Amino acid sequence: MPIRQLQYMVYASLMAALIAFGAYVHIPLGPVPIVLQNFFVLLAALLLGSRWAATSVAIYLFSGAIGLPVFAGAKGGMVHFLGPTGGYLLGFLLAAFIAGAIAERCSRQLVAEILAVTLGSMAVYAVGVPWLKFTAGLTWGKALLVGMAPFLIGDVFKASAAVLLARALRPILARQLMPVSS
């Protein structure tokens, strides 16, 4: 296995752990809590690109699916994919892929990074809100009111912080990913 691939595997695992940590920082707010998971999903996308960011989210989701307490409220298990937050959890995977794909193709341009985190955040809602509507039996208006509206301002701050932190961490990450000389 090439050393660079091993390094990305370690970074993807680290980001999965940070996404899990983000679930522990939660504020209960109706059926969908305020969490930091999406901040770490977007950060992974900006730093690792589509493939490795999606891998980190997949590791996180698998960990929760098998029962590890990595979801909001220190919970785990397949039941969370079937409940009101299941769509948001799956939306993290789509967000990581979309934001990562934009970030890796636009060579670290600030406008592209802002677009990446914006579309990534929208992807979470595009999957999460319809799933919330379906599982909770809500109208579209109510689902948007409880499943998206309260989170928008916080998501702007989290997305902005992800862009700023990614821009600060990228030079460090680049030095770590330098080829190892024999």
Side-chain angles (χ1 to χ4, degrees):
M1 172 182 314
I3 188 77
R4 190 172 180 96
Q5 185 174 358
L6 180 60
Q7 289 172 315
Y8 271 105
M9 290 171 73
V10 170
Y11 288 131
S13 298
L14 174 62
M15 292 310 299
L18 288 172
I19 295 167
F21 168 76
Y24 281 84
V25 182
H26 76 284
I27 300 168
L29 185 71
V32 181
I34 295 174
V35 294
L36 283 181
Q37 293 157 298
N38 51 343
F39 164 74
F40 289 112
V41 167
L42 296 173
L43 183 61
L46 293 173
L47 291 175
L48 304 179
S50 59
R51 176 179 170 213
W52 289 106
T55 299
S56 69
V57 174
I59 292 167
Y60 165 73
L61 294 176
F62 179 75
S63 298
I66 63 170
L68 295 178
V70 297
F71 297 147
K75 297 177 181 168
M78 284 296 295
V79 68
H80 295 284
F81 290 97
L82 304 175
T85 60
Y88 297 94
L89 292 171
L90 295 175
F92 291 155
L93 189 60
L94 183 61
F97 186 80
I98 290 172
I102 294 168
E104 66 194 9
R105 284 176 178 75
C106 296
S107 63
R108 301 177 183 139
Q109 297 172 13
L110 180 61
V111 173
E113 291 175 343
I114 293 169
L115 178 65
V117 296
T118 300
L119 293 179
S121 295
M122 290 173 59
V124 173
Y125 291 121
V127 180
V129 172
W131 187 256
L132 174 65
K133 178 196 178 306
F134 172 75
T135 59
L138 303 174
T139 65
W140 278 110
K142 185 72 171 177
L144 290 168
L145 188 63
V146 300
M148 187 173 83
F151 308 104
L152 292 175
I153 292 172
D155 283 352
V156 168
F157 285 108
K158 289 184 269 186
S160 299
V163 169
L164 292 173
L165 188 56
R167 294 177 79 76
L169 289 176
R170 237 185 241 113
I172 298 166
L173 191 63
R175 283 193 302 272
Q176 295 298 318
L177 291 171
M178 295 295 289
V180 178
S181 55
S182 303

